[in-house]
Amino acid sequence: MDKLREKIAIHTLKFLSNKSYENLSLEKIHKASKINKKIFYQIIQNKRELLKNINIYFDSLILLKSNTVDNSTKRDMIFEVIMIRFDILNNHRVSIIKIYNFLKKNPQVFTSLIPSFALSMKTMCKIAKIKDDHLFGNLKINGLLILYFLTFLVWIKDESESLDKTMNALDKYLDRADNLIKIINK
């Protein structure tokens, strides 16, 4: 991720930690980031782009931390990668919950962000060494996306530092996915 996009993401998250999503504007983030106006508006054209940019920023942080993922089973690796993402989200909990509350009320905006989330799942699959390039590649990405969103709904309510409820839910969902794959492969 380039430094300008990173700066915009950080300022957007910082803004949202103190104000609502409804109060968010490109102008406010532009002023806070102190990036040349022309360059800023070349990078970000609307509020949805701010949200996509945050997602890209989180992906870049996951890639930076991916060297901590143990080279073990694919299931364990994807568990670790997703939990890295939740640890990152936890660092920006207030901002993420505000975004979530806005998206809950505005499903059309959420729907427009799904391709960005799918790219994140693709990145996490690569880190976990899960191949997504054959016939079932999109199925794996979409399945992981569903798994992630289900776990995210648990994370929203898990206010513990250790994220035990989130880890348990993710573990349970991964087990169910494994069982489904075994049934399909019979």
Side-chain angles (χ1 to χ4, degrees):
M1 170 175 240
D2 69 52
K3 293 294 179 192
L4 293 178
R5 281 189 167 278
E6 182 177 321
K7 191 173 186 180
I8 292 168
I10 290 168
H11 282 285
T12 305
L13 289 164
K14 185 184 276 187
F15 179 91
L16 289 170
S17 69
N18 297 310
K19 306 243 191 293
S20 72
Y21 181 84
E22 290 75 16
N23 289 327
L24 179 67
S25 73
L26 296 183
E27 185 179 319
K28 290 174 184 174
I29 300 304
H30 164 252
K31 284 181 181 176
S33 67
K34 298 177 182 168
I35 295 172
N36 174 285
K37 189 173 188 173
K38 184 179 178 184
I39 293 171
F40 179 90
Y41 285 98
Q42 284 175 343
I43 297 170
I44 305 292
Q45 291 84 42
N46 56 52
K47 285 173 71 169
R48 288 181 191 184
E49 291 290 321
L50 287 173
L51 297 179
K52 288 179 185 177
N53 192 57
I54 289 170
N55 198 49
I56 293 167
Y57 172 63
F58 289 158
D59 289 345
S60 70
L61 293 177
I62 291 168
L63 286 167
L64 287 174
K65 295 181 179 205
S66 66
N67 61 343
T68 64
V69 175
D70 291 332
N71 193 8
S72 59
T73 67
K74 290 176 183 174
R75 184 206 183 281
D76 288 347
M77 290 173 75
I78 200 68
F79 178 89
E80 282 187 65
V81 173
I82 292 174
M83 285 311 301
I84 288 171
R85 186 173 187 91
F86 282 118
D87 286 338
I88 292 167
L89 291 181
N90 225 31
N91 292 332
H92 304 282
R93 185 172 194 79
V94 171
S95 302
I96 298 304
I97 289 173
K98 286 178 183 178
I99 293 168
Y100 166 74
N101 287 332
F102 170 78
L103 293 175
K104 237 179 15 177
K105 296 174 194 166
N106 298 278
Q108 72 285 1
V109 178
F110 173 74
T111 304
S112 73
L113 297 173
I114 289 176
S116 179
F117 290 124
L119 285 174
S120 295
M121 298 305 115
K122 194 171 182 120
T123 298
M124 290 194 281
C125 280
K126 284 182 182 169
I127 294 168
K129 299 178 182 168
I130 296 172
K131 293 183 180 170
D132 64 347
D133 56 352
H134 56 74
L135 181 62
F136 295 108
N138 282 336
L139 187 60
K140 288 178 186 178
I141 298 297
N142 292 333
L144 186 58
L145 191 57
I146 291 167
L147 234 152
Y148 173 75
F149 285 141
L150 289 171
T151 309
F152 180 86
L153 294 174
V154 174
W155 174 82
I156 284 289
K157 296 174 185 170
D158 186 358
E159 296 181 7
S160 69
E161 199 70 28
S162 61
L163 297 179
D164 285 337
K165 291 176 186 173
T166 304
M167 284 192 288
N168 289 334
L170 177 57
D171 197 41
K172 179 179 74 173
Y173 295 138
L174 285 169
D175 283 345
R176 288 181 183 171
D178 279 346
N179 291 336
L180 181 62
I181 290 167
K182 286 175 188 171
I183 291 169
I184 290 170
N185 286 335
K186 284 186 180 181

